[in-house]
Amino acid sequence: MFQKIAIGLASALVLFLTAPSSNTAAAGEIEDFYSGKTITIYIGFGFGGTYGKYSRTMAQHLTKHIPGHPKLIVKSMPGAGGLKMANFAYNAMPKGGYHFLVPPDSSVVSQLLRPKKVRFKSQDFTWLGATNQTNTIFVVRSDTGVRKWQDMRTKQVISGNTGPGSTAFLIPAMMKSMLGLKIKQIAGYKGSSKTILAMEQGEHQGTAFNWLAWYSKVPHWFDKGKEFAYPILQTGVYKDPALPNVPMMKNLVAKEHVPIVNFMATLGIIGRGLALPPGAPKKLVEPLRTAFANMVKDPAYIADAEKARLRVLYTSGADIQKFVNGAISKANPEVVGAARKLIFGK
Amino acid sequence: MDGNMIDMAITAAIALSDPMRLSFLALGVLIGLVLGVIPGLGGLVGLSLLLPFTFNMDPFTALAFMMGLQAVVVTSDTIPAVLFGVPGTVGSAATILDGYPMARNGEAGRAFGAAFTASVIGGLYGAMLLALAIPIIRPIILQIGSPELLAICVFGLSLVAVLSGSTPLKGLAAACIGLMVATAGDDPQTGTLRWTFDTIYLYDGLPVVPLALGLFAIPEIADMVITRQSISGGANAGSRWSQWEGVKDVFRNKWLVLRCASIGSGLGAIPGIGASIIDWIAYGHAVRSIKDSGKTFGKGDVRGVIASEASNNAKEGGALLPTIAFGVPGSASMALILGAFLIHGLVPGPELLAKRLDITYTLVWSVAIANVLGAGICFLFANQLAKVALVRIGILAPVVLAITYIGAFQGQNSWGDISALLIFGFIGWMMKRLRWPRPPLILGFVLGGLVERYMFISVERYSWEWLWIFREGTFAPWVDIILLMALYGILAPVIRRWIARRRAGEKVARGIAFQRQNLDPGMYFNFAILAMFVATITIASGWEFGARLVPSVIGWGGVIFTGGAIFSGLFLMPANAPAAIAPESRAEAEALQGSALGPAEDEDVHFDIQADYGDLSVRTIFVRAANYFAWLLAFFASSFLIGLLPAMFLYLVGYMRFEGRESWKMVLSVALPLWFGSYFLFHKVLLVTWPLSVIGNFFPVLRTIEWANLF
C-alpha cells in the first residue's frame, strides 16, 4: 500500500516536472537547462585521429555559445570503425540532452552496406552541424612511380586499411572495381596513425583517409619538390578546397556507378560534426544548431583549429539532416546491392 | 650527444626549473599517484580530464604537468597489488604474483621498498634512453614492421611455457583461453562479429581492465573472506627498516633491474606493445634467467616484484619515442599527450626532432623528476599503508571489493564490464583453487589480438617471405633473431632436463589404467573447459575463412592441451609420487615426468599465488565461497535496480554489518566517507556516465538533476 502511494506520488512529481515542454523554448529556458551542467561528447574512435582532435576543439569552444555555458567533455568509445559508439548512442545513450555524439562519417554508408552490424538509423539522429567536410583522399608513395590515377591501371599499389568498414577499405575497393585499378588490399592496421606509419615503413604504398588526417600527421610528406607521397584521387560531394587539382572520383566512373559514388559521398558531408541521440528534447535542437553555427564563425575557434592543423568547413545541421534523409530514402535496393557487390564482392 | 643536444637539454632544464612549472609537475605527480592506487583508473582517465586545462598553459608547463601524471601512475599502482592482490593498473598485474604473497608473509614494507626503488631506477633509465635515442630513433622504428611485431608477440607467447611451471598442459590450455577471448569483437579481416553475444559491449573486444581485475582481484578477496584472516595473517606489517631491506634488495639485484628496465623501455618504444604486456615479459625473463626461480617465485620472491616494477616505469620513456618521432602514440594515454602537442602547434615527426629538441628534453626531465618525486612520496606513506594489511577482513574485504567493482566499470562504463568482472572472477577463483596458472591466460589475452592482426598483415603482404632474413631483397634479420630467441627459451630447459635424465639412467615406464580417484572437481573443471573449446570450434566453423582461421587453431590447441591434461590425470598410472608436489597438480606433474616436458622430480613449480585454506574443511570453503559470490551477485542485481553507486553503499553497509558483524558506528564511519569519496571522485570529478538502472527508467527526472544523476 505504502509502496503504491510512493510510486503514485513520484509519478505525479515526474509529470509535474516534465509536463511543460514544447518544441520551441525561450533562451532563458535553455540557459536554465544547461546552466552548471556537463555535456558529454562521445566519439567512436581513439583520441589520436581527427575525430579526437575536432571533438576536443569543439568541446573547448562550444561552451561559449550554448546558453548557460555548460562544461563539455569528450569520451572515446572505439570499435568496429565507429559503429560501436553509434549503436550505443542510438540504443543506450541517455537522451536527456546532456549527451552528444560525433557520428562516424560512414554512418549512412554502413547503414546501407553493412546492415547486420548497424543498430541505428542515421536519419533518427538529430544533426547539429559539421565543422569539416572530409573528402576521402587516396594518397600514394612517390617511389611507386604513380603520379595520376591512370598510372594504377598498370602499376600495382599495395594498400593498407583498418578493416572492412573503414573508408581506407571502402574507397580503394571502389577504385579497384569501378576504375579497374590494380590495388592489393591488406586489412588489419589499428587506427590511422599506425596505418600511415606502415606506409612510411614501406609495408604498403597508399591508402585513403580524409585530407586532414594526412595533413595533420605527415605534412612533410607533401613538401614541394621532395614529395614522399602524392594525393591522386578524392571522393566527396564538393572538391576539397586544399586539393583543386586532384580529380573527383564521381567524374571518372561509368554512368551506372554514379549513384553509388554519390551515396558514398555522404561520408564527406557528414564529416566531423555533432548530433543528438534520438529522443532528445526537441526544444534543444534550434538553440544547439544556432550555437554550433556561431561556434564555427568564432575567430577563436578557427584559430585554435588551425593551431591543431584542423580547418573549418561548415555544413549546417539542417543541411546534413536533409542530405542524410535523402540519401537513405533514395537508396534503392539495386544501387545498394550493386555497391555491396562492387565493394565486398558479394 | 652533440653540442646542440646538450644545449637543448640545458635549455629545457632551465625552462622546467621555473617554480610555476615545477609546481604543475608536482601536481601532476600527485594526481597520477592517486589514480594509480585506485584499481581501474589510470593515466588515461586523468589525462583526458586534464587536457582541457593545459590549453592555456605554455607548452613546457603543459607537457610537464601531463608527463608528471602519466609517469608515476605505474609507481603507485603497486600499492593495491601488494596489499590486496588487486592490480592498480594493468601494468602491475605481474607484481601481484610475488608482491601479494610478500604482504601475506608480513613483508609488505620490504615489497614496497623494493618496488618503489625499482620503479624510480626504471623510470630514470627510461628517461635516459629517451634522451639518448632521439637522434637514431626514426630509422630504428622504420625497421619494425608487422613481421617484427608478430615475432615479438610470438616471443611473448613463448613465455607461457615458462610461466606454466609444472603444469604445462594446463598452462597452455589457459593461454588458449586467453587467446580465444582476445578474438572477440569485430574481426579486422572480414568484419565478422565474433563472440559478441549480440551485445554492443564486445564490438571492440573485451577491455583488459575487467578481465585483469576479475582474474586476480576477485579470487584474492574471495580467499580473504573464506579464510577470514587479515592479509598478513598473524605476521606484523614490519617497520620502516623493512622498506630499507627492499631498497637493498634492489641494489643486490642491480643487473636484473637494468635488464628489466631495458625490456620495459625497449618494448615500450614499439607502438602496439603496451603496459599490459611488458610487465609479464619482464617477469617471464626474471623467471627464466634466475636460477632456481621455480622454488621461490610466486611465493613471495622480491625479485619478482623488482622485475615487474622496473619494467613498467621504464616503459613511459620508451613510449614517448614513437609519439615524438612519428606522431604514432604507443598507448591511449600517449594519444592524449599527442593531443597536447598539437594544441600547442607542435607537429611530431622530423621537424619536432630537428627543431624543437627543447620540447623533447622537457619530456625527458619531466619523466625523470616525476619518477623521483613519485617514488619519494610513496616511500613516505608506505609505512602507514603497510599497516592496512592488519585491518580486519570484515571491513577490508567489502571496501576493496566495492572499489574494485567500481574500478572495473571504468573499462567502458557499461554493464558488460561488471558482467565480465564477475565471470572472470569466478573463472579466476576456480583456476586459483584448482592450480591452473593464471598468468598464461592474461598473457594469451593481451597478445592474442596482436598476433592475429600482425599475422594476417605479414602473410598477406609478404606471404611466407616474412619468415626469411631477406624480404623483397632487403636484409631483415630481426624476425628470425627474435623467433630463435623464443625457440631457445622453450627448448633449452627441455633439452637440459632430457640430458640430465639420460645421464641419471632413469627409465620411465608408465602403465595405463583408469584412475578413479582423480575424478574430482578439478577434473570436472577440465571437462568444462574442454567442452567450451569444442563449442568454440563448432560455432567458429560457420564463419568466413579469415574470421575462422585463428579461433579454430586456438580451439584445437585448447582441445589437445585440455584433453592431454584429462588423459594424463585419468589414465596414467602414478609413478613414485614425490611428496613435495601438491595433490591438485600431482596427476599432471607425474604424467609428464620423464616426457622431458615435465619438471624435474622434486620440483613443484607454480608461478601463481596459491590458495592456502589451512585446515578448513571442503564444506566450509564451499559454503563461504558460495556466500561470497552470492553477495557479489546481489551487488550486481541491486546495481541494476537502483544504480551502481547507490548499490555500492547498500553493499558496504550490508556486508560489514551482517557478514563482518561490525558495530553500526564502525560500519557507518567506514561506509559514509568511502561512499562520499567515491561519489565525489567518480561522479563529480570524473563525470562518469552511469549505466541506466531500472529506477532511473521509471523516474527519468532523476537523470536531469546533475547531482542525483546516478540512476
Side-chain angles (χ1 to χ4, degrees):
Chain A
M1 182 62 196
F2 173 75
Q3 206 181 359
K4 273 189 188 157
I5 294 173
I7 292 176
L9 280 176
S11 332
L13 184 74
V14 172
L15 281 176
F16 171 74
L17 286 171
T18 51
S21 69
S22 64
N23 284 2
T24 49
E29 195 189 336
I30 302 299
E31 193 168 337
D32 290 345
F33 187 85
Y34 279 125
S35 177
K37 300 293 169 57
T38 303
I39 294 172
T40 309
I41 300 174
Y42 275 86
I43 60 172
F45 297 84
F47 284 118
T50 47
Y51 283 91
K53 290 174 206 162
Y54 269 114
S55 58
R56 294 204 163 281
T57 319
M58 289 194 283
Q60 193 193 346
H61 287 273
L62 195 55
T63 175
K64 257 182 286 175
H65 303 284
I66 298 178
H69 310 301
K71 186 155 74 171
L72 288 103
I73 59 167
V74 183
K75 289 201 174 170
S76 151
M77 185 190 272
L83 293 186
K84 176 173 175 170
M85 188 279 301
N87 284 341
F88 160 80
Y90 194 85
N91 295 293
M93 184 181 266
K95 304 173 191 322
Y98 302 109
H99 291 78
F100 296 178
L101 66 147
V102 180
D105 58 3
S106 61
S107 298
V108 170
V109 171
S110 302
Q111 186 178 335
L112 295 173
L113 289 184
R114 312 173 78 207
K116 266 192 219 158
K117 272 202 196 154
V118 170
R119 299 186 198 172
F120 61 83
K121 292 187 177 129
S122 303
Q123 64 272 36
D124 291 352
F125 290 130
T126 305
W127 302 77
L128 301 176
T131 176
N132 189 31
Q133 289 170 25
T134 54
N135 284 6
T136 311
I137 319 294
F138 193 86
V139 169
V140 186
R141 272 175 73 121
S142 54
D143 61 4
T144 53
V146 172
R147 293 292 179 275
K148 50 188 192 303
W149 66 273
Q150 292 91 333
D151 295 341
M152 291 168 67
R153 284 188 170 143
T154 48
K155 294 188 172 95
Q156 177 177 274
V157 168
I158 298 169
S159 171
N161 67 70
T162 51
S166 62
T167 52
F169 170 81
L170 295 170
I171 303 299
M174 280 167 50
M175 292 165 59
K176 204 166 132 180
S177 53
M178 293 180 189
L179 300 175
L181 305 186
K182 286 185 161 178
I183 297 176
K184 178 184 162 145
Q185 291 194 281
I186 293 178
Y189 290 101
K190 183 98 186 165
S192 54
S193 300
K194 284 182 190 138
T195 316
I196 291 176
L197 174 63
M199 184 166 154
E200 185 160 0
Q201 289 171 327
E203 209 163 276
H204 68 97
Q205 298 156 317
T207 189
F209 288 115
N210 74 78
W211 180 238
L212 288 183
W214 294 110
Y215 190 66
S216 65
K217 281 187 220 283
V218 283
H220 53 283
W221 282 15
F222 308 102
D223 289 347
K224 272 270 167 303
K226 33 181 192 173
E227 285 90 348
F228 177 79
Y230 293 100
I232 62 159
L233 195 63
Q234 56 181 317
T235 317
V237 177
Y238 313 106
K239 241 185 191 181
D240 191 302
L243 302 165
N245 300 322
V246 177
M248 295 285 284
M249 185 150 164
K250 65 175 180 185
N251 301 334
L252 307 173
V253 299
K255 215 172 175 186
E256 72 264 26
H257 292 153
V258 171
I260 301 176
V261 178
N262 277 345
F263 97 70
M264 296 300 286
T266 54
L267 287 166
I269 288 287
I270 292 172
R272 303 286 179 269
L274 287 176
L276 286 170
K282 292 264 180 293
K283 64 178 179 185
L284 300 176
V285 177
E286 280 321 306
L288 288 176
R289 281 183 174 169
T290 311
F292 195 96
N294 290 336
M295 175 191 73
V296 294
K297 278 184 263 169
D298 180 353
Y301 173 72
I302 297 170
D304 269 355
E306 274 169 10
K307 226 158 85 178
R309 296 199 174 233
L310 304 173
R311 67 176 182 201
V312 182
L313 270 182
Y314 170 62
T315 314
S316 77
D319 282 350
I320 303 175
Q321 198 88 49
K322 228 187 295 169
F323 206 90
V324 167
N325 295 3
I328 288 175
S329 63
K330 271 185 245 153
N332 65 54
E334 269 168 50
V335 173
V336 173
R340 206 176 289 146
K341 185 130 185 63
L342 279 171
I343 292 169
F344 295 106
K346 60 191 172 192
Chain B
M1 212 183 232
D2 60 25
N4 180 35
M5 288 176 75
I6 294 168
D7 283 351
M8 284 298 173
I10 294 169
T11 311
I14 293 170
L16 204 58
S17 65
D18 174 88
M20 186 67 184
R21 290 181 183 140
L22 281 181
S23 320
F24 270 106
L25 176 63
L27 179 65
V29 168
L30 282 177
I31 298 172
L33 290 175
V34 172
L35 292 172
V37 172
I38 301 170
L41 298 185
L44 182 61
V45 174
L47 291 176
S48 60
L49 215 66
L50 292 177
L51 184 59
F53 294 102
T54 65
F55 290 168
N56 299 321
M57 298 176 180
D58 65 81
F60 297 102
T61 314
L63 293 175
F65 184 38
M66 295 180 80
M67 273 325 292
L69 188 157
Q70 174 67 17
V72 298
V73 165
V74 282
T75 303
S76 62
D77 66 355
T78 315
I79 294 168
V82 168
L83 285 180
F84 316 121
V86 176
T89 69
V90 290
S92 69
T95 310
I96 296 174
L97 291 197
D98 285 289
Y100 184 60
M102 283 181 79
R104 297 199 57 118
N105 301 339
E107 289 188 315
R110 183 177 167 201
F112 285 145
F116 301 145
T117 313
S119 289
V120 76
I121 296 176
L124 292 175
Y125 186 97
M128 198 183 70
L129 180 96
L130 171 62
L132 295 179
I134 289 164
I136 49 166
I137 193 60
R138 277 183 63 88
I140 292 178
I141 290 184
L142 283 176
Q143 296 279 312
I144 304 172
S146 299
E148 283 78 14
L149 285 164
L150 176 58
I152 292 170
C153 294
V154 170
F155 175 82
L157 275 182
S158 77
L159 293 172
V160 165
V162 53
L163 290 174
S164 301
S166 48
T167 49
L169 290 173
K170 284 180 186 166
L172 288 165
C176 287
I177 299 176
L179 287 165
M180 188 66 89
V181 176
T183 62
D186 182 54
D187 146 52
Q189 294 304 314
T190 65
T192 307
L193 288 173
R194 299 186 296 200
W195 319 126
T196 53
F197 303 104
D198 224 22
T199 63
I200 297 170
Y201 176 67
L202 290 168
Y203 263 51
D204 196 34
L206 186 71
V208 65
V209 167
L211 178 104
L213 287 177
L215 220 46
F216 290 101
I218 297 289
E220 291 326 322
I221 306 168
D223 286 349
M224 270 183 218
V225 170
I226 291 168
T227 55
R228 297 195 175 162
Q229 275 178 352
S230 64
I231 288 160
S232 64
N236 65 30
S239 64
R240 200 162 280 263
W241 292 115
S242 57
Q243 280 188 57
W244 182 237
E245 192 55 38
V247 176
K248 285 196 288 189
D249 283 324
V250 171
F251 288 99
R252 270 196 288 271
N253 293 289
K254 50 184 179 296
W255 297 116
L256 177 69
V257 175
L258 292 182
R259 290 200 308 268
C260 291
S262 318
I263 291 174
S265 48
L267 291 179
I270 298 169
I273 308 288
S276 53
I277 299 171
I278 287 170
D279 56 333
W280 289 111
I281 293 190
Y283 187 86
H285 164 75
V287 165
R288 205 178 252 175
S289 62
I290 290 172
K291 197 167 183 289
D292 288 336
S293 56
K295 289 186 180 141
T296 50
F297 270 61
K299 300 177 182 73
D301 189 319
V302 73
R303 292 170 295 184
V305 175
I306 292 172
S308 165
E309 287 303 310
S311 72
N312 66 20
N313 278 65
K315 174 200 79 214
E316 293 307 325
L320 277 166
L321 284 168
T323 314
I324 300 170
F326 289 94
V328 176
S331 64
S333 305
M334 280 299 153
L336 290 172
I337 293 186
L338 188 67
F341 275 41
L342 292 167
I343 283 156
H344 292 285
L346 305 165
V347 180
E351 194 186 305
L352 187 70
L353 287 180
K355 296 188 189 142
R356 293 306 301 267
L357 273 176
D358 52 339
I359 292 291
T360 310
Y361 282 105
T362 303
L363 295 167
V364 173
W365 289 118
S366 303
V367 172
I369 298 171
N371 266 291
V372 173
L373 201 58
I377 295 171
C378 285
F379 265 118
L380 283 182
F381 289 102
N383 219 29
Q384 302 307 317
L385 286 167
K387 291 193 179 126
V388 172
L390 303 172
V391 173
R392 277 197 300 279
I393 215 66
I395 298 172
L396 192 62
V399 168
V400 177
L401 186 92
I403 295 173
T404 303
Y405 196 90
I406 298 231
F409 179 71
Q410 306 313 313
Q412 299 206 342
N413 291 6
S414 154
W415 288 121
D417 292 319
I418 306 284
S419 313
L421 175 80
L422 296 185
I423 292 168
F424 284 96
F426 185 71
I427 294 176
W429 184 73
M430 291 295 282
M431 289 178 75
K432 182 180 173 196
R433 169 113 183 81
L434 300 170
R435 286 177 55 96
W436 277 62
R438 290 169 291 176
L441 194 160
I442 198 159
L443 200 59
F445 175 76
V446 294
L447 289 169
L450 298 176
V451 169
E452 182 177 23
R453 187 181 288 279
Y454 297 130
M455 187 194 77
F456 271 107
I457 295 175
S458 303
V459 173
E460 258 182 56
R461 174 65 178 84
Y462 302 108
S463 78
W464 294 105
E465 212 181 39
W466 76 269
L467 274 168
W468 184 231
I469 49 171
F470 288 97
R471 242 183 351 248
E472 298 186 329
T474 323
F475 184 54
W478 290 109
V479 169
D480 291 276
I481 292 172
I482 300 166
L483 289 179
L484 284 175
M485 273 162 58
L487 203 63
Y488 173 80
I490 293 176
L491 290 183
V494 176
I495 294 170
R496 262 201 300 276
R497 229 172 276 143
W498 185 73
I499 292 173
R501 278 187 194 139
R502 280 281 299 252
R503 282 214 190 107
E506 207 178 296
K507 283 221 174 79
V508 187
R510 305 282 297 276
I512 289 181
F514 184 57
Q515 306 293 311
R516 200 186 170 80
Q517 74 281 10
N518 284 343
L519 201 59
D520 54 9
M523 195 52 76
Y524 297 136
F525 185 72
N526 294 355
F527 278 120
I529 299 292
L530 182 70
M532 184 207 79
F533 280 122
V534 172
T536 55
I537 297 171
T538 319
I539 296 171
S541 64
W543 297 337
E544 280 176 61
F545 176 76
R548 177 180 73 213
L549 178 67
V550 170
S552 309
V553 171
I554 300 167
W556 280 110
V559 166
I560 292 168
F561 301 133
T562 323
I566 291 175
F567 175 80
S568 65
L570 280 187
F571 295 105
L572 283 189
M573 295 218 307
N576 301 326
I581 293 182
E584 291 92 336
S585 72
R586 195 175 293 164
E588 192 187 328
E590 283 166 2
L592 287 159
Q593 273 159 23
S595 69
L597 249 178
E601 300 233 340
D602 55 348
E603 283 176 46
D604 171 27
V605 186
H606 190 61
F607 297 110
D608 196 353
I609 305 166
Q610 305 185 32
D612 175 12
Y613 296 122
D615 47 9
L616 290 180
S617 72
V618 173
R619 195 185 139 73
T620 316
I621 294 173
F622 178 77
V623 169
R624 288 182 185 176
N627 190 27
Y628 169 75
F629 282 103
W631 272 101
L632 269 180
L633 284 177
F635 192 172
F636 189 25
S638 55
S639 312
F640 195 70
L641 287 175
I642 60 169
L644 208 143
L645 215 45
M648 173 188 171
F649 186 74
L650 276 191
Y651 169 79
L652 280 171
V653 170
Y655 195 96
M656 280 191 272
R657 179 69 195 152
F658 300 109
E659 279 293 315
R661 304 197 184 281
E662 297 291 336
S663 67
W664 276 112
K665 196 174 152 207
M666 188 62 172
V667 168
L668 291 177
S669 62
V670 174
L672 284 174
L674 183 68
W675 191 83
F676 278 104
S678 307
Y679 173 81
F680 179 74
L681 177 66
F682 291 101
H683 190 68
K684 291 304 228 185
V685 179
L686 300 180
L687 303 164
V688 167
T689 306
W690 300 104
L692 306 182
S693 68
V694 173
I695 194 170
N697 289 342
F698 268 113
F699 306 113
V701 67
L702 289 171
R703 294 187 188 138
T704 63
I705 310 166
E706 181 119 331
W707 61 266
N709 186 13
L710 309 170
F711 308 95

